Amino acid sequence: MKQTALTDLNLLTRRPLFSGRVWTALAVAVALLALLPLLNLAFPPGHALHVSSYAVALLGKFMCYAMAALALDLVWGYAGILSLGHGLFFALGGYAHGMYLMRAIGHDGVYQSNLPDFMVFLDWKTYPWYWSFTEHFWYAMLLVVLVPGVLAFVFGYFAFRSRIKGVYFSIITQALTFAAMLLFFRNDTGFGGNNGFTDFKRILGFDITAPGTRATLYWITLGALAGALVLARLVTQSKLGRVLTAVRDAESRLRFIGYDPLGFKLFVWTLSAVLCGIAGALYVPQVGIINPSEMSTETSIEMVIWVATGGRGTLIGPIIGAGAVNGLKTWFTSVLPEYWLYALGLIFVLVTLFLPTGIVGLARRVAARFQENKA
C-alpha cells in the first residue's frame, strides 16, 4: 500500500521544465541577444558600442536557422526520424510570407504594376488562383502554418502507415524536396522561377529596411526561438516525449506492448514541419529574398550537420550547432568560398568520429570530469 502511494506521488510530481540554473542562463542569453538591436538604434556608426545593421540581420538569420535545427532535432533526436527534406518546409514557410511581401510592394516595382515584376516580365495578366487573399497579412501567416503542416501530415501519414523508416524514409524526403525545388524553378508556377521573391519594400505598412523594422523582426525571431525551445521541452518532458524516445530506441517493442506509433510520429513530424515553416517565414523579411535554392538537398543536409554538431537529442545543442556552423560559414565563405563544402563535409566527418554527442555532449563530459576532480 505504501509503495503504491509513493508510486502515485511520483506520477503526480512533475519534473521542472528546466533547472533554476538553466532558466537563469537562458534568461541572460535572451537578454544579451535582445540588447544588440538597441545598441544599433541608440549609438551612431563609429561609436564603440554601435552594432551594425549587418550584424543584427546576420544574427536574425542565424536564429531562424537555429529554430529550423531545433525543429529537426524533435524528429531526429527524439523520435529517430532522420529527415533530409526539412529545407522544403523552411522554404514553403518563406514563400507563403513572401507572397504577402510581394503583394505589399504595390506600384513601387520596376514596372509600376499591381503584379510583381516577374509576372509582368512573363506577360501574366492576373494573379493565379492560389495567390488569392495573400494581400492580407493574417492569411499569409495562416499559410505559413498550414502549407508545411498539411504537406507534412499527408506525407507522414502515408509514409508512417506504410512503416517506411530508416534510410528509406530519408531518401524519400530528399526526393520530395528535390522534386519541389524543380517545380519552383519553373517560371510558369507563379513563384518567380530561379530568382524567387525579392526587392521587398514594406511589411504591415512599415519600411522593411528601416532600422526599427529590422530590430522588431529580430526581437520577434528571438521570441519565437525562445518559445519554440520551451514548447519543444514541454513535448519532450511529457509522456508523449517518453513514447517518442521509445519509438526511437525500440519501436517494435513499443508495438508489442500495445502502442501504435503512427499517431505519435505523425504529431511530432507535423509539429516539426510547422516550426520549420515559421522559421522560414521569419527568415525572408530579414534576408530579403527567398528562392528555390532554399529547397536544395544541400540545405537540408546542412540542417542535419547543425544538429549533429550541437548535439542530437538535446534541444539546446542544435541551436548552438546552427550558430557555430553558420558563423564559421560566414567567415569561411569570405576567405575561401570555393572550399566551404569541403570544410562542411570535414566538419561532419570529424563530429561523427570524434564528437558523436556534439558540443553539448562534450561540455557535459568536461563538467562531469571537473566535478569528479573537485570531489
Side-chain angles (χ1 to χ4, degrees):
M1 184 70 179
K2 182 178 180 181
Q3 183 65 34
T4 304
L6 288 173
T7 303
D8 292 340
L9 181 61
N10 289 333
L11 289 174
L12 292 172
T13 303
R14 293 179 177 271
R15 289 185 298 172
L17 192 61
F18 294 109
S19 67
R21 284 167 47 178
V22 173
W23 274 119
T24 302
L26 289 175
V28 170
V30 169
L32 290 176
L33 288 170
L35 181 63
L36 296 180
L38 291 177
L39 298 178
N40 171 258
L41 296 172
F43 298 99
H47 193 280
L49 295 178
H50 177 75
V51 175
S52 67
S53 298
Y54 170 77
V56 172
L58 185 65
L59 284 173
K61 182 175 74 169
F62 287 180
M63 287 190 291
C64 295
Y65 287 153
M67 191 171 173
L70 175 66
L72 179 59
D73 191 39
L74 270 178
V75 292
W76 185 33
Y78 288 89
I81 304 169
L82 175 56
S83 168
L84 296 180
H86 261 48
L88 172 60
F89 304 130
F90 184 85
L92 287 176
Y95 268 100
H97 193 188
M99 292 166 78
Y100 162 77
L101 295 174
M102 293 301 290
R103 296 288 290 263
I105 293 174
H107 287 81
D108 293 342
V110 174
Y111 297 102
Q112 298 181 346
S113 169
N114 283 327
L115 297 174
D117 288 340
F118 73 87
M119 288 189 180
V120 177
F121 180 77
L122 295 173
D123 201 28
W124 290 55
K125 303 303 181 185
T126 59
Y127 283 103
W129 64 268
Y130 43 85
W131 279 72
S132 301
F133 307 112
T134 52
E135 70 273 18
H136 302 293
F137 180 78
W138 64 267
Y139 181 74
M141 295 302 101
L142 187 63
L143 289 180
V144 166
V145 174
L146 286 181
V147 173
V150 170
L151 176 62
F153 182 87
V154 173
F155 172 82
Y157 176 77
F158 289 106
F160 298 142
R161 191 183 67 167
S162 303
R163 300 191 182 182
I164 299 173
K165 54 186 178 180
V167 66
Y168 301 104
F169 184 86
S170 302
I171 292 172
I172 291 175
T173 57
Q174 190 175 58
L176 176 68
T177 304
F178 188 72
M181 182 185 69
L182 294 179
L183 178 66
F184 274 71
F185 264 124
R186 294 169 57 98
N187 287 325
D188 57 359
T189 56
F191 293 106
N194 64 318
N195 293 320
F197 299 157
T198 189
D199 197 29
F200 308 126
K201 304 296 183 183
R202 59 186 68 87
I203 180 171
L204 290 174
F206 296 96
D207 181 1
I208 203 167
T209 60
T213 306
R214 289 193 175 277
T216 302
L217 289 169
Y218 176 98
W219 285 322
I220 292 173
T221 304
L222 178 60
L225 177 59
L229 177 61
V230 172
L231 174 62
R233 183 68 174 176
L234 281 169
V235 170
T236 57
Q237 287 283 87
S238 67
K239 292 181 180 179
L240 169 62
R242 291 193 287 273
V243 174
L244 291 175
T245 304
V247 169
R248 179 193 67 193
D249 296 338
E251 184 173 344
S252 59
R253 186 177 300 177
L254 190 68
R255 292 180 186 277
F256 180 77
I257 62 176
Y259 282 88
D260 183 2
L262 174 62
F264 299 101
K265 294 167 73 173
L266 195 56
F267 170 79
V268 74
W269 172 254
T270 305
L271 175 62
S272 177
V274 169
L275 290 176
C276 222
I278 294 172
L282 292 168
Y283 169 89
V284 169
Q286 296 182 86
V287 176
I289 188 172
I290 180 69
N291 58 42
S293 65
E294 297 297 338
M295 298 182 187
S296 67
T297 54
E298 290 86 352
T299 300
S300 296
I301 292 172
E302 277 195 43
M303 291 183 182
V304 172
I305 296 175
W306 302 341
V307 175
T309 302
R312 173 188 168 198
T314 61
L315 296 182
I316 195 66
I319 296 175
I320 296 171
V325 174
N326 282 288
L328 181 62
K329 179 180 180 180
T330 301
W331 173 81
F332 208 96
T333 51
S334 65
V335 179
L336 296 169
E338 65 274 18
Y339 295 107
W340 165 243
L341 288 180
Y342 298 103
L344 185 65
L346 180 62
I347 290 171
F348 188 59
V349 170
L350 293 177
V351 166
T352 303
L353 292 177
F354 303 108
L355 208 62
T357 55
I359 295 173
V360 169
L362 176 63
R364 287 173 176 172
R365 290 201 303 272
V366 170
R369 184 69 60 83
F370 178 76
Q371 289 295 333
E372 288 176 5
N373 294 336
K374 188 177 180 180

